[in-house]
Amino acid sequence: MADLHSVKESKKISPYMVMFVIHPLQIGVGILSFQHDIVKYAGYDAWISVILAGLGTHALLWIIYSILNKGKGDLIKIHRDMFGKWVGGAF
């Protein structure tokens, strides 16, 4: 029987990468629970704002993906195209 407290090295995450795992999880929980917060404060007549917020989120994601497709996934090139040579280079 394997020791319950030992974790294989291949299953561990480096301390540097933990930030990139924890941060999206916290953001995801906040985004996925926004409907509950709206209903809690606005009541059950807030269904229009929930639909509009969902449509806005989908529109924003569509814009992000279209920009990434146009830039062929190169973030540096996208920043320089959008913000110019100096500001894009700083980003």
Coordinates of all heavy atoms in Angstrom, one line a residue:
M1 N 0.8 -1.2 0.0 CA 0.0 0.0 0.0 C 0.9 1.2 0.0 O 1.8 1.3 0.8 CB -0.9 0.0 1.2 CG -1.9 1.1 1.3 SD -3.1 0.8 2.6 CE -4.0 2.2 2.4
A2 N 0.6 2.2 -0.9 CA 1.4 3.4 -1.0 C 1.2 4.3 0.2 O 0.1 4.3 0.8 CB 1.1 4.1 -2.3
D3 N 2.2 5.1 0.5 CA 2.1 6.1 1.5 C 1.1 7.2 1.1 O 1.2 7.7 0.0 CB 3.5 6.7 1.8 CG 3.5 7.6 3.0 OD1 2.5 7.6 3.8 OD2 4.4 8.4 3.1
L4 N 0.1 7.5 1.9 CA -0.9 8.5 1.6 C -0.4 9.9 1.5 O -1.0 10.7 0.9 CB -2.1 8.4 2.6 CG -2.8 7.1 2.6 CD1 -3.9 7.1 3.7 CD2 -3.5 6.8 1.2
H5 N 0.8 10.2 2.2 CA 1.3 11.5 2.2 C 2.3 11.8 1.2 O 2.8 13.0 1.1 CB 1.9 11.8 3.6 CG 0.8 11.7 4.7 ND1 -0.2 12.6 4.9 CD2 0.6 10.8 5.6 CE1 -0.9 12.3 5.9 NE2 -0.5 11.1 6.4
S6 N 2.7 10.8 0.4 CA 3.7 11.1 -0.6 C 3.0 11.3 -2.0 O 2.1 10.6 -2.3 CB 4.7 9.9 -0.7 OG 4.0 8.8 -1.2
V7 N 3.4 12.4 -2.7 CA 2.9 12.7 -4.0 C 4.0 12.5 -5.0 O 5.1 12.9 -4.8 CB 2.4 14.2 -4.0 CG1 1.8 14.5 -5.4 CG2 1.3 14.4 -2.9
K8 N 3.7 11.9 -6.1 CA 4.7 11.7 -7.2 C 5.2 13.0 -7.7 O 4.4 14.0 -7.8 CB 4.1 10.9 -8.3 CG 3.7 9.5 -8.0 CD 3.2 8.8 -9.2 CE 2.8 7.4 -8.9 NZ 2.2 6.7 -10.0
E9 N 6.4 13.1 -8.0 CA 7.0 14.3 -8.5 C 6.4 14.8 -9.8 O 6.2 16.0 -10.0 CB 8.5 14.1 -8.8 CG 9.3 15.3 -9.0 CD 9.4 16.2 -7.8 OE1 9.4 15.7 -6.6 OE2 9.4 17.4 -8.0
S10 N 5.9 13.9 -10.6 CA 5.2 14.3 -11.9 C 3.9 14.9 -11.7 O 3.3 15.5 -12.5 CB 5.1 13.1 -12.8 OG 4.2 12.1 -12.2
K11 N 3.3 14.8 -10.5 CA 2.0 15.3 -10.1 C 2.1 16.6 -9.4 O 1.0 17.2 -9.0 CB 1.1 14.3 -9.3 CG 1.0 13.0 -9.9 CD 0.0 13.1 -11.1 CE -0.2 11.7 -11.7 NZ -0.9 11.7 -12.9
K12 N 3.3 17.1 -9.1 CA 3.4 18.4 -8.3 C 3.5 19.6 -9.3 O 3.9 19.5 -10.4 CB 4.7 18.3 -7.5 CG 4.7 17.3 -6.4 CD 5.9 17.3 -5.6 CE 5.9 16.3 -4.5 NZ 7.1 16.3 -3.7
I13 N 3.1 20.7 -8.7 CA 3.2 22.0 -9.4 C 4.2 22.9 -8.8 O 4.3 22.9 -7.5 CB 1.8 22.7 -9.4 CG1 0.8 21.9 -10.1 CG2 1.9 24.1 -10.1 CD1 -0.6 22.5 -10.0
S14 N 5.1 23.5 -9.6 CA 6.1 24.4 -9.0 C 5.4 25.6 -8.3 O 4.4 26.0 -8.7 CB 7.1 24.9 -10.1 OG 6.4 25.8 -10.9
P15 N 6.1 26.1 -7.3 CA 5.5 27.3 -6.6 C 5.3 28.5 -7.5 O 4.3 29.2 -7.3 CB 6.6 27.6 -5.5 CG 7.4 26.4 -5.3 CD 7.3 25.7 -6.6
Y16 N 6.1 28.6 -8.5 CA 5.8 29.7 -9.5 C 4.5 29.5 -10.2 O 3.8 30.5 -10.5 CB 7.0 29.8 -10.4 CG 6.9 30.8 -11.5 CD1 7.0 32.2 -11.2 CD2 6.6 30.4 -12.8 CE1 6.8 33.1 -12.2 CE2 6.5 31.4 -13.8 CZ 6.6 32.7 -13.5 OH 6.4 33.6 -14.5
M17 N 4.2 28.3 -10.6 CA 3.1 28.0 -11.4 C 1.8 28.0 -10.6 O 0.7 28.0 -11.2 CB 3.2 26.7 -12.2 CG 4.4 26.7 -13.2 SD 4.2 28.0 -14.4 CE 2.9 27.2 -15.4
V18 N 1.9 27.9 -9.3 CA 0.7 27.9 -8.4 C -0.1 29.2 -8.6 O -1.4 29.1 -8.6 CB 1.1 27.7 -7.0 CG1 -0.1 27.9 -6.0 CG2 1.6 26.3 -6.8
M19 N 0.5 30.3 -8.8 CA -0.2 31.5 -9.0 C -1.0 31.5 -10.3 O -2.2 32.0 -10.3 CB 0.8 32.7 -9.2 CG 0.1 34.0 -9.4 SD 1.3 35.4 -9.8 CE 1.6 35.0 -11.5
F20 N -0.5 30.8 -11.3 CA -1.3 30.7 -12.6 C -2.4 29.7 -12.5 O -3.3 29.6 -13.4 CB -0.4 30.3 -13.7 CG 0.7 31.4 -14.0 CD1 2.0 31.2 -13.6 CD2 0.3 32.6 -14.6 CE1 2.9 32.2 -13.9 CE2 1.2 33.6 -14.9 CZ 2.5 33.4 -14.5
V21 N -2.5 28.9 -11.5 CA -3.6 28.0 -11.2 C -4.6 28.6 -10.3 O -5.8 28.6 -10.6 CB -3.0 26.6 -10.6 CG1 -4.2 25.7 -10.2 CG2 -2.1 25.9 -11.6
I22 N -4.2 29.2 -9.2 CA -5.1 29.8 -8.2 C -5.8 31.0 -8.8 O -7.0 31.1 -8.6 CB -4.3 30.2 -7.0 CG1 -3.6 29.0 -6.4 CG2 -5.2 30.9 -6.0 CD1 -4.6 28.0 -5.7
H23 N -5.1 31.9 -9.5 CA -5.7 33.1 -9.9 C -6.9 32.9 -10.9 O -8.0 33.4 -10.7 CB -4.7 34.0 -10.6 CG -5.2 35.3 -11.1 ND1 -5.6 36.3 -10.2 CD2 -5.4 35.8 -12.3 CE1 -6.0 37.3 -10.9 NE2 -5.9 37.1 -12.2
P24 N -6.8 32.1 -12.0 CA -7.9 31.8 -12.8 C -9.1 31.1 -12.1 O -10.2 31.3 -12.4 CB -7.4 30.9 -13.9 CG -5.9 31.2 -13.9 CD -5.5 31.5 -12.5
L25 N -8.8 30.3 -11.1 CA -9.8 29.6 -10.4 C -10.7 30.6 -9.6 O -11.9 30.5 -9.6 CB -9.3 28.5 -9.5 CG -8.7 27.3 -10.1 CD1 -8.0 26.4 -9.1 CD2 -9.8 26.5 -10.8
Q26 N -10.0 31.6 -9.0 CA -10.7 32.6 -8.2 C -11.5 33.5 -9.2 O -12.7 33.8 -8.9 CB -9.7 33.5 -7.4 CG -9.1 32.7 -6.3 CD -8.1 33.6 -5.6 OE1 -7.5 34.5 -6.1 NE2 -7.8 33.2 -4.3
I27 N -11.0 33.9 -10.3 CA -11.7 34.7 -11.3 C -12.9 33.9 -11.8 O -14.0 34.4 -12.0 CB -10.8 35.1 -12.4 CG1 -9.7 36.0 -11.9 CG2 -11.6 35.8 -13.5 CD1 -10.1 37.3 -11.4
G28 N -12.7 32.6 -12.1 CA -13.7 31.8 -12.7 C -14.9 31.6 -11.8 O -16.1 31.7 -12.2
V29 N -14.6 31.5 -10.5 CA -15.7 31.3 -9.5 C -16.5 32.7 -9.4 O -17.7 32.7 -9.4 CB -15.2 31.0 -8.1 CG1 -16.2 31.1 -7.0 CG2 -14.7 29.5 -8.1
G30 N -15.8 33.8 -9.5 CA -16.5 35.1 -9.5 C -17.4 35.3 -10.7 O -18.5 35.8 -10.6
I31 N -16.9 34.9 -11.9 CA -17.6 35.1 -13.1 C -18.8 34.1 -13.2 O -19.9 34.5 -13.6 CB -16.7 34.9 -14.3 CG1 -15.7 36.0 -14.4 CG2 -17.5 34.7 -15.6 CD1 -14.7 35.8 -15.5
L32 N -18.6 32.9 -12.7 CA -19.7 31.9 -12.8 C -20.8 32.2 -11.7 O -21.9 31.6 -11.9 CB -19.2 30.5 -12.7 CG -18.3 30.1 -13.8 CD1 -17.7 28.7 -13.5 CD2 -19.1 30.0 -15.1
S33 N -20.5 32.9 -10.7 CA -21.5 33.2 -9.7 C -22.2 34.6 -9.7 O -22.9 35.0 -8.8 CB -20.9 33.0 -8.3 OG -20.0 34.0 -8.0
F34 N -21.9 35.3 -10.8 CA -22.5 36.7 -10.9 C -24.0 36.7 -10.9 O -24.6 37.6 -10.5 CB -21.9 37.5 -12.1 CG -22.4 37.1 -13.4 CD1 -23.5 37.8 -14.0 CD2 -21.9 36.1 -14.1 CE1 -24.0 37.5 -15.2 CE2 -22.4 35.7 -15.4 CZ -23.5 36.5 -15.9
Q35 N -24.6 35.6 -11.5 CA -26.1 35.6 -11.5 C -26.7 35.6 -10.1 O -27.7 36.3 -9.9 CB -26.6 34.4 -12.3 CG -26.1 34.3 -13.7 CD -24.9 33.5 -13.9 OE1 -24.2 33.2 -13.0 NE2 -24.7 33.1 -15.1
H36 N -26.1 34.8 -9.2 CA -26.6 34.7 -7.9 C -26.5 36.1 -7.2 O -27.4 36.5 -6.5 CB -25.8 33.7 -7.1 CG -26.1 33.6 -5.7 ND1 -25.5 34.3 -4.7 CD2 -27.1 32.9 -5.0 CE1 -26.1 34.0 -3.5 NE2 -27.1 33.2 -3.7
D37 N -25.4 36.8 -7.4 CA -25.3 38.1 -6.8 C -26.3 39.1 -7.3 O -26.8 39.9 -6.5 CB -23.8 38.7 -7.0 CG -22.8 37.8 -6.3 OD1 -23.1 37.1 -5.3 OD2 -21.6 37.8 -6.7
I38 N -26.5 39.1 -8.6 CA -27.5 40.0 -9.2 C -28.9 39.7 -8.6 O -29.6 40.6 -8.3 CB -27.5 39.9 -10.7 CG1 -26.2 40.5 -11.2 CG2 -28.7 40.6 -11.3 CD1 -26.0 40.3 -12.7
V39 N -29.3 38.5 -8.6 CA -30.6 38.1 -8.1 C -30.8 38.5 -6.6 O -31.8 38.9 -6.1 CB -30.9 36.6 -8.3 CG1 -32.1 36.1 -7.6 CG2 -31.1 36.3 -9.8
K40 N -29.7 38.3 -5.8 CA -29.7 38.6 -4.4 C -30.1 40.1 -4.2 O -30.8 40.4 -3.3 CB -28.4 38.3 -3.8 CG -28.4 38.4 -2.3 CD -27.2 37.8 -1.6 CE -25.9 38.5 -2.0 NZ -24.7 38.0 -1.3
Y41 N -29.5 41.0 -5.0 CA -29.7 42.4 -4.8 C -30.9 43.0 -5.6 O -31.5 43.9 -5.1 CB -28.4 43.2 -5.1 CG -27.3 42.9 -4.1 CD1 -26.2 42.2 -4.5 CD2 -27.4 43.3 -2.8 CE1 -25.2 41.8 -3.7 CE2 -26.4 42.9 -1.9 CZ -25.3 42.2 -2.3 OH -24.3 41.9 -1.5
A42 N -31.1 42.5 -6.8 CA -32.1 43.1 -7.6 C -33.4 42.3 -7.6 O -34.4 42.8 -8.2 CB -31.6 43.2 -9.1
G43 N -33.4 41.1 -7.1 CA -34.7 40.3 -7.1 C -34.8 39.5 -8.3 O -33.9 39.5 -9.1
Y44 N -35.9 38.9 -8.5 CA -36.1 38.0 -9.6 C -36.5 38.7 -10.9 O -36.7 38.0 -11.9 CB -37.1 36.9 -9.2 CG -36.5 35.9 -8.3 CD1 -36.8 36.0 -6.9 CD2 -35.6 34.9 -8.7 CE1 -36.3 35.1 -6.0 CE2 -35.1 34.0 -7.8 CZ -35.4 34.1 -6.4 OH -34.9 33.3 -5.5
D45 N -36.6 40.0 -10.9 CA -36.8 40.7 -12.1 C -35.5 41.1 -12.8 O -35.5 41.9 -13.7 CB -37.6 42.0 -11.8 CG -39.0 41.7 -11.3 OD1 -39.5 40.6 -11.7 OD2 -39.6 42.5 -10.5
A46 N -34.4 40.6 -12.4 CA -33.1 40.9 -12.9 C -32.7 40.0 -14.1 O -31.5 40.0 -14.5 CB -32.1 40.9 -11.8
W47 N -33.6 39.3 -14.6 CA -33.2 38.3 -15.7 C -32.7 39.0 -16.9 O -31.8 38.5 -17.6 CB -34.4 37.4 -16.0 CG -35.6 38.1 -16.6 CD1 -36.6 38.7 -15.8 CD2 -35.9 38.4 -17.9 NE1 -37.6 39.2 -16.7 CE2 -37.1 39.1 -18.0 CE3 -35.3 38.1 -19.1 CZ2 -37.7 39.5 -19.1 CZ3 -35.9 38.5 -20.3 CH2 -37.1 39.1 -20.3
I48 N -33.2 40.2 -17.2 CA -32.7 41.0 -18.4 C -31.2 41.3 -18.2 O -30.4 41.2 -19.1 CB -33.5 42.2 -18.6 CG1 -35.0 41.8 -19.0 CG2 -32.9 43.1 -19.7 CD1 -35.9 43.0 -19.1
S49 N -30.9 41.8 -17.0 CA -29.5 42.2 -16.8 C -28.5 40.9 -16.8 O -27.4 41.0 -17.3 CB -29.3 42.9 -15.4 OG -29.7 42.1 -14.4
V50 N -29.0 39.8 -16.4 CA -28.3 38.5 -16.5 C -28.0 38.2 -17.9 O -26.9 37.8 -18.3 CB -28.9 37.4 -15.7 CG1 -28.2 36.1 -16.0 CG2 -29.0 37.7 -14.2
I51 N -29.1 38.3 -18.8 CA -28.9 38.0 -20.2 C -28.0 38.9 -20.8 O -27.1 38.6 -21.6 CB -30.3 38.0 -20.9 CG1 -31.1 36.8 -20.4 CG2 -30.1 37.9 -22.4 CD1 -32.5 36.7 -20.9
L52 N -28.1 40.2 -20.5 CA -27.2 41.2 -21.1 C -25.8 41.0 -20.7 O -24.8 41.2 -21.5 CB -27.7 42.7 -20.8 CG -29.0 43.1 -21.4 CD1 -29.4 44.5 -20.9 CD2 -28.9 43.1 -22.9
A53 N -25.5 40.7 -19.4 CA -24.2 40.4 -18.9 C -23.6 39.2 -19.6 O -22.4 39.2 -20.0 CB -24.2 40.2 -17.4
G54 N -24.4 38.2 -19.8 CA -23.9 37.0 -20.6 C -23.6 37.3 -22.0 O -22.5 36.9 -22.5
L55 N -24.4 38.1 -22.7 CA -24.1 38.5 -24.1 C -22.9 39.4 -24.1 O -22.1 39.2 -25.1 CB -25.3 39.2 -24.7 CG -26.6 38.3 -24.9 CD1 -27.7 39.2 -25.4 CD2 -26.3 37.3 -26.0
G56 N -22.7 40.2 -23.2 CA -21.5 41.1 -23.1 C -20.3 40.3 -23.0 O -19.2 40.5 -23.6
T57 N -20.3 39.3 -22.1 CA -19.2 38.4 -21.9 C -18.8 37.6 -23.2 O -17.7 37.5 -23.5 CB -19.5 37.4 -20.7 OG1 -19.8 38.1 -19.6 CG2 -18.3 36.5 -20.5
H58 N -19.9 37.1 -23.8 CA -19.6 36.4 -25.1 C -19.0 37.3 -26.2 O -18.1 36.9 -26.9 CB -20.9 35.8 -25.6 CG -21.3 34.5 -24.9 ND1 -20.6 33.4 -25.0 CD2 -22.3 34.3 -24.0 CE1 -21.2 32.4 -24.2 NE2 -22.2 33.0 -23.6
A59 N -19.5 38.6 -26.2 CA -19.0 39.5 -27.2 C -17.5 39.8 -26.9 O -16.7 39.9 -27.8 CB -19.8 40.8 -27.2
L60 N -17.2 40.0 -25.6 CA -15.8 40.3 -25.3 C -14.9 39.1 -25.6 O -13.8 39.4 -26.1 CB -15.8 40.6 -23.8 CG -14.4 41.1 -23.2 CD1 -14.0 42.4 -23.9 CD2 -14.5 41.3 -21.8
L61 N -15.3 37.9 -25.3 CA -14.5 36.8 -25.7 C -14.4 36.6 -27.2 O -13.3 36.3 -27.7 CB -15.1 35.5 -25.1 CG -15.0 35.3 -23.6 CD1 -15.7 34.1 -23.1 CD2 -13.5 35.2 -23.3
W62 N -15.4 36.9 -28.0 CA -15.3 36.9 -29.4 C -14.3 37.9 -29.9 O -13.5 37.6 -30.8 CB -16.7 37.2 -30.0 CG -16.6 37.1 -31.5 CD1 -16.6 36.1 -32.4 CD2 -16.6 38.3 -32.4 NE1 -16.5 36.5 -33.7 CE2 -16.5 37.8 -33.7 CE3 -16.6 39.7 -32.1 CZ2 -16.5 38.7 -34.8 CZ3 -16.5 40.5 -33.2 CH2 -16.5 40.0 -34.5
I63 N -14.3 39.1 -29.3 CA -13.3 40.1 -29.7 C -11.9 39.7 -29.4 O -11.0 39.8 -30.2 CB -13.6 41.5 -29.0 CG1 -14.9 42.1 -29.6 CG2 -12.5 42.5 -29.2 CD1 -15.5 43.2 -28.8
I64 N -11.7 39.1 -28.2 CA -10.4 38.6 -27.8 C -9.9 37.6 -28.8 O -8.7 37.6 -29.3 CB -10.4 38.1 -26.4 CG1 -10.6 39.3 -25.4 CG2 -9.1 37.3 -26.1 CD1 -10.8 38.9 -24.0
Y65 N -10.7 36.6 -29.1 CA -10.3 35.5 -30.0 C -10.1 36.0 -31.4 O -9.2 35.6 -32.1 CB -11.3 34.4 -30.0 CG -11.2 33.4 -28.9 CD1 -12.2 33.2 -28.0 CD2 -10.0 32.7 -28.7 CE1 -12.0 32.4 -26.9 CE2 -9.8 31.8 -27.7 CZ -10.9 31.7 -26.8 OH -10.7 30.8 -25.7
S66 N -10.8 37.0 -31.9 CA -10.6 37.5 -33.2 C -9.3 38.3 -33.3 O -8.6 38.2 -34.3 CB -11.8 38.4 -33.7 OG -11.9 39.5 -32.9
I67 N -9.0 39.0 -32.3 CA -7.7 39.7 -32.2 C -6.5 38.7 -32.2 O -5.5 38.9 -32.9 CB -7.6 40.7 -31.0 CG1 -8.5 41.9 -31.2 CG2 -6.2 41.2 -30.8 CD1 -8.7 42.8 -30.0
L68 N -6.7 37.7 -31.4 CA -5.6 36.7 -31.4 C -5.5 35.9 -32.7 O -4.3 35.6 -33.1 CB -5.9 35.7 -30.2 CG -5.6 36.2 -28.8 CD1 -6.1 35.2 -27.8 CD2 -4.2 36.5 -28.6
N69 N -6.6 35.7 -33.4 CA -6.5 35.0 -34.7 C -5.8 35.9 -35.7 O -5.1 35.5 -36.6 CB -7.8 34.6 -35.2 CG -8.3 33.3 -34.5 OD1 -7.5 32.5 -34.0 ND2 -9.6 33.2 -34.4
K70 N -6.1 37.2 -35.7 CA -5.5 38.2 -36.6 C -4.0 38.3 -36.4 O -3.3 38.5 -37.3 CB -6.2 39.5 -36.5 CG -5.8 40.5 -37.6 CD -6.6 41.8 -37.4 CE -8.0 41.6 -38.0 NZ -8.7 42.9 -38.1
G71 N -3.6 38.3 -35.1 CA -2.2 38.4 -34.8 C -1.4 37.1 -34.8 O -0.3 37.0 -34.5
K72 N -2.1 36.0 -35.2 CA -1.5 34.7 -35.3 C -0.9 34.2 -34.0 O 0.1 33.5 -33.9 CB -0.4 34.6 -36.4 CG -0.9 35.0 -37.8 CD -1.8 34.0 -38.4 CE -2.1 34.3 -39.8 NZ -3.3 35.0 -40.0
G73 N -1.5 34.7 -32.9 CA -1.1 34.2 -31.5 C 0.2 34.9 -31.0 O 0.6 34.5 -29.9
D74 N 0.8 35.8 -31.7 CA 2.0 36.5 -31.2 C 1.6 37.7 -30.5 O 1.2 38.7 -31.0 CB 2.9 36.8 -32.4 CG 4.2 37.4 -32.0 OD1 4.5 37.3 -30.8 OD2 4.9 38.0 -32.9
L75 N 1.7 37.7 -29.1 CA 1.2 38.8 -28.3 C 2.0 40.0 -28.5 O 1.5 41.1 -28.4 CB 1.2 38.3 -26.8 CG 0.4 39.1 -25.8 CD1 -1.0 39.1 -26.2 CD2 0.6 38.6 -24.4
I76 N 3.3 39.9 -28.7 CA 4.1 41.1 -28.9 C 3.7 41.8 -30.2 O 3.6 43.1 -30.2 CB 5.6 40.7 -29.0 CG1 6.0 40.1 -27.6 CG2 6.5 41.9 -29.3 CD1 7.4 39.5 -27.6
K77 N 3.5 41.1 -31.3 CA 3.0 41.7 -32.5 C 1.6 42.4 -32.3 O 1.4 43.5 -32.8 CB 2.9 40.7 -33.6 CG 2.5 41.2 -35.0 CD 2.5 40.1 -36.0 CE 2.1 40.6 -37.4 NZ 0.8 41.2 -37.4
I78 N 0.8 41.8 -31.6 CA -0.6 42.3 -31.4 C -0.5 43.6 -30.6 O -1.1 44.6 -30.9 CB -1.5 41.3 -30.6 CG1 -1.8 40.1 -31.5 CG2 -2.8 42.0 -30.2 CD1 -2.4 39.0 -30.8
H79 N 0.4 43.7 -29.6 CA 0.5 44.9 -28.8 C 1.1 46.0 -29.6 O 0.7 47.1 -29.5 CB 1.4 44.6 -27.6 CG 0.7 44.0 -26.4 ND1 1.4 43.3 -25.5 CD2 -0.6 43.8 -26.1 CE1 0.5 42.8 -24.6 NE2 -0.7 43.1 -25.0
R80 N 2.1 45.7 -30.4 CA 2.7 46.8 -31.3 C 1.7 47.2 -32.3 O 1.7 48.4 -32.6 CB 3.9 46.3 -31.9 CG 5.0 46.1 -30.9 CD 6.4 46.2 -31.5 NE 7.4 46.2 -30.4 CZ 8.6 45.7 -30.5 NH1 9.0 45.2 -31.7 NH2 9.4 45.8 -29.5
D81 N 0.9 46.4 -32.9 CA -0.1 46.8 -33.8 C -1.2 47.6 -33.2 O -1.7 48.6 -33.8 CB -0.8 45.6 -34.5 CG 0.1 44.9 -35.5 OD1 1.2 45.5 -35.9 OD2 -0.2 43.7 -35.8
M82 N -1.6 47.3 -32.0 CA -2.7 48.0 -31.3 C -2.3 49.3 -30.7 O -3.0 50.3 -30.7 CB -3.3 47.1 -30.2 CG -3.9 45.8 -30.7 SD -5.4 46.1 -31.7 CE -6.6 46.3 -30.5
F83 N -1.1 49.3 -30.1 CA -0.7 50.5 -29.3 C 0.5 51.3 -29.8 O 0.9 52.2 -29.2 CB -0.4 50.0 -27.8 CG -1.5 49.3 -27.1 CD1 -1.5 48.0 -26.9 CD2 -2.6 50.0 -26.8 CE1 -2.5 47.3 -26.3 CE2 -3.7 49.4 -26.1 CZ -3.6 48.1 -25.9
G84 N 1.1 50.8 -30.9 CA 2.2 51.5 -31.5 C 3.5 50.9 -31.1 O 3.6 50.0 -30.3
K85 N 4.6 51.5 -31.6 CA 5.9 50.9 -31.4 C 6.4 51.0 -29.9 O 6.8 50.0 -29.3 CB 6.9 51.6 -32.3 CG 8.3 51.1 -32.2 CD 9.3 51.9 -33.1 CE 10.7 51.4 -32.9 NZ 11.6 52.1 -33.7
W86 N 6.2 52.2 -29.3 CA 6.8 52.4 -28.0 C 5.9 51.9 -26.9 O 6.4 51.1 -26.0 CB 7.1 53.9 -27.8 CG 8.1 54.4 -28.7 CD1 7.9 55.1 -29.8 CD2 9.5 54.2 -28.6 NE1 9.1 55.4 -30.4 CE2 10.1 54.8 -29.7 CE3 10.3 53.5 -27.7 CZ2 11.5 54.8 -29.9 CZ3 11.7 53.5 -27.9 CH2 12.2 54.1 -29.0
V87 N 4.6 52.2 -26.9 CA 3.7 51.7 -25.9 C 3.5 50.2 -26.0 O 3.5 49.5 -25.0 CB 2.4 52.5 -25.9 CG1 1.4 51.9 -24.9 CG2 2.6 54.0 -25.7
G88 N 3.4 49.7 -27.2 CA 3.2 48.3 -27.5 C 4.5 47.5 -27.0 O 4.4 46.4 -26.5
G89 N 5.6 48.1 -27.2 CA 6.9 47.5 -26.8 C 7.0 47.5 -25.3 O 7.5 46.5 -24.7
A90 N 6.4 48.5 -24.6 CA 6.5 48.5 -23.2 C 5.6 47.5 -22.6 O 5.9 46.9 -21.5 CB 6.0 49.9 -22.7
F91 N 4.4 47.2 -23.2 CA 3.5 46.2 -22.8 C 4.1 44.8 -23.0 O 4.0 43.9 -22.2 CB 2.2 46.2 -23.5 CG 1.3 47.3 -23.0 CD1 0.4 47.9 -23.9 CD2 1.3 47.7 -21.7 CE1 -0.4 48.9 -23.4 CE2 0.4 48.7 -21.2 CZ -0.4 49.3 -22.1

